[in-house]
Amino acid sequence: MSDEANPFESLQSQIDDAAAYLDIGDDVIERLKHPERVLETNLTIERDDGNLERFEAFRSQFNGDRGPYKGGIRYHPQVSRDEVKALSGWMTYKTAIVDIPLGGGKGGIVIDPDDYSEAELERLTRSFAKELRPLIGEDRDVPAPDVNTGQREMNWIKDTYENLENTTEPGVITGKALDSGGSEGRVEATGRSTVIAAREAFDYLDKDLEGATVAVQGYGNAGWIAAKLIDEMGATVVAVSDSSGGIYNADGFDPVAAKEYKNETGSVVGFAGSEAELTNDDVLTLDVDLLIPAALENAIDADLAEAVEADVISEAANGPLTPAADEVLEGKDVFVVPDILANAGGVTVSYFEWVQNRQRFYWDEERVNEELEAIIVDAFDALVETYERHDLENPRTAAYVVAIQRVADAFEEAGSWP
Ligand code: NAD
């Protein structure tokens, strides 16, 4: 993490940049820059040694004009009220750019889960689910996984909610295991949309993805799947990193073998297929055709952006560029596919999961991937159409112009109340 840009201020400045191209009143824009409500709660659970410990937790419901609030729950020491608010705003514009009938929300607990046992994490997650219960529901607010949470936590939340409500309502949460009502293709969805978006960008820029060199920062769910799929598309993954550092091989890695190594040892560092070790900053500034930041926000600040050599960036992570970095990259003609489109595969397949839960009818993986492909390609086309129509310098602004217009339309068509 290279600088301390406040993510909520980053979100608001992105909205301001786009508002300049929209015929929407300042009063409506003001509404669209703030969450509708934020739950801030303290969870106290019993540790395995019998002592009690208190944790701060948040859920921000940013905007529900287009449908139920939707967004993940993150477990990380850096979780803060402002981070959760920003992430919930990005979810609002993400569901809008891909045009699925959902709003935006996000939650988090301030914790490093590595320091806790599975039983402690279960108690904590169930305690959070109890606090969330009055706010969530398949027609109200539908949480999902994010950093350091996955199927296990989603299953606990669903089970707690269903027990307290005395119902079966799998659509209260997405990202569940298949046997608990999850969807085929959900685990791969974020990485998949990141590479579909990159492929569309290469196509738009008349660049060849076959043989293109790729660096991936962050080798978790989003990053490693993106590496695997872009390799399958014929690109060469020359560098990857995780929180322990990065590895490099000019001839490319086998992304699956690198992942297996990380599963065994906890990191990609030390992987036998590597010819050199790199720092995370080295990975982000490597001379590659495509850079995929897939770790956390603010990975690239203005100083680091000066050193970025990639031609295209597809943002798997949420908010990996500070606004100042965005400006620098714009000046260097780097084409940035913004997070709200590039990583929207996760929420799109979450939407498919929710649809399947409500219909109690499940699709095969092929159908999930086909429907996802169509949605991401349509969203990219809408971005490009706006990018060209307004002669914009930055694809991110184009994405926000499309998305904000859709949210504002839904709000204005409904009228304000009371
Ligand atoms: P994850 O916990 O599975 O993986 C995160 C990875 O980032 C890990 O490999 C970790 O080692 C690495 N990392 C952490 N700090 C780092 C640093 N300073 N430098 C390099 N690597 C670092 O999380 P994830 O689900 O893959 O999420 C990654 C990003 O993608 C987040 O910004 C998240 O909000 C975003 N995202 C995820 C999904 C999803 O469905 N998983 C959907 C949309 C967006």
Side-chain angles (χ1 to χ4, degrees):
M1 188 130 342
S2 321
D3 84 6
E4 295 305 314
N6 177 315
F8 187 55
E9 287 168 13
S10 299
L11 166 79
Q12 294 193 318
S13 91
Q14 289 159 352
I15 296 172
D16 284 335
D17 289 346
Y21 299 93
L22 286 162
D23 186 19
I24 298 173
D26 290 348
D27 47 355
V28 174
I29 292 294
E30 184 62 13
R31 169 185 163 78
L32 300 182
K33 284 167 70 175
H34 295 273
E36 291 174 14
R37 68 187 66 79
V38 182
L39 169 76
E40 178 171 347
T41 180
N42 287 287
L43 309 170
T44 301
I45 61 141
E46 191 176 313
R47 298 288 309 262
D48 292 342
D49 64 8
N51 288 319
L52 299 179
E53 188 168 340
R54 179 188 67 87
F55 298 86
E56 268 182 288
F58 306 92
R59 179 77 184 167
S60 169
Q61 296 182 328
F62 196 90
N63 186 287
D65 291 330
R66 300 181 67 261
Y69 309 99
K70 186 85 193 84
I73 292 177
R74 174 177 293 199
Y75 289 1
H76 197 274
Q78 277 164 16
V79 164
S80 68
R81 192 180 173 96
D82 270 0
E83 184 191 62
V84 169
K85 281 162 60 177
L87 290 163
S88 67
W90 283 319
M91 286 306 299
T92 302
Y93 299 110
K94 190 178 300 186
T95 54
I97 181 75
V98 290
D99 209 7
I100 56 178
L102 296 168
K106 203 81 175 192
I109 303 182
V110 186
I111 182 176
D112 183 347
D114 287 347
D115 297 340
Y116 297 84
S117 71
E118 180 164 349
E120 290 169 336
L121 291 173
E122 178 169 357
R123 286 198 286 281
L124 183 66
T125 304
R126 288 186 184 279
S127 165
F128 194 28
K130 184 171 137 293
E131 291 301 312
L132 290 173
R133 185 185 62 88
L135 299 179
I136 62 176
E138 63 182 12
D139 285 321
R140 285 194 286 271
D141 182 350
V142 184
D146 192 70
V147 176
N148 290 328
T149 61
Q151 292 181 343
R152 182 182 69 173
E153 288 75 14
M154 301 308 109
N155 296 346
W156 288 332
I157 294 174
K158 168 180 172 280
D159 182 66
T160 307
Y161 180 87
E162 289 185 337
N163 271 295
L164 292 172
E165 292 284 328
N166 189 26
T167 188
T168 55
E169 195 179 314
V172 66
I173 198 150
T174 60
K176 303 176 293 291
L178 280 179
D179 291 334
S180 298
S183 175
E184 296 286 354
R186 173 63 184 87
V187 172
E188 295 206 333
T190 302
R192 186 173 292 279
S193 66
T194 303
V195 303
I196 294 172
R199 185 199 66 205
E200 293 301 294
F202 270 61
D203 200 32
Y204 175 65
L205 299 168
D206 267 335
K207 289 171 68 69
D208 208 352
L209 192 57
E210 182 81 36
T213 51
V214 184
V216 181
Q217 183 219 20
Y219 216 57
N221 178 262
W224 108 261
I225 297 288
K228 181 180 85 143
L229 296 177
I230 205 96
D231 175 73
E232 285 171 12
M233 285 177 178
T236 307
V237 179
V238 295
V240 301
S241 69
D242 59 29
S243 49
S244 305
I247 54 173
Y248 176 77
N249 187 329
D251 295 327
F253 296 105
D254 173 355
V256 180
K259 174 64 174 165
E260 283 166 1
Y261 182 81
K262 181 174 165 67
N263 287 349
E264 279 163 29
T265 65
S267 173
V268 291
V269 176
F271 175 55
S274 164
E275 63 185 29
E277 290 192 1
L278 303 177
T279 65
N280 258 293
D281 285 0
D282 294 337
V283 171
L284 293 167
T285 53
L286 216 55
D287 187 3
V288 286
D289 299 305
L290 172 66
L291 172 65
I292 299 180
L296 294 176
E297 57 267 26
N298 295 343
I300 302 180
D301 65 6
D303 287 344
L304 204 60
E306 296 285 359
V308 165
E309 302 244 13
D311 300 327
V312 178
I313 297 179
S314 189
E315 295 182 327
N318 286 308
L321 311 184
T322 65
D326 227 8
E327 256 176 58
V328 171
L329 294 172
E330 187 182 306
K332 292 170 68 169
D333 274 343
V334 179
F335 191 94
V336 179
V337 187
D339 47 7
I340 60 170
L341 196 165
N343 70 30
V347 73
T348 302
V349 176
S350 273
Y351 162 59
F352 298 159
E353 180 176 336
W354 179 77
V355 168
Q356 293 169 75
N357 290 155
R358 309 197 69 167
Q359 295 182 340
R360 312 268 167 168
F361 178 77
Y362 289 85
W363 309 350
D364 61 19
E365 190 173 356
E366 199 183 341
R367 174 163 179 198
V368 169
N369 290 344
E370 274 173 22
E371 303 258 5
L372 173 62
E373 163 94 22
I375 284 182
I376 299 300
V377 170
D378 279 356
F380 189 86
D381 289 348
L383 178 154
V384 163
E385 193 274 323
T386 298
Y387 182 66
E388 291 186 347
R389 181 158 42 89
H390 291 290
D391 196 18
L392 295 170
E393 300 284 328
N394 192 328
R396 187 187 314 281
T397 307
Y400 276 92
V401 168
V402 175
I404 291 171
Q405 186 70 61
R406 287 179 179 158
V407 180
D409 285 348
F411 171 67
E412 291 187 315
E413 282 160 14
S416 60
W417 189 90

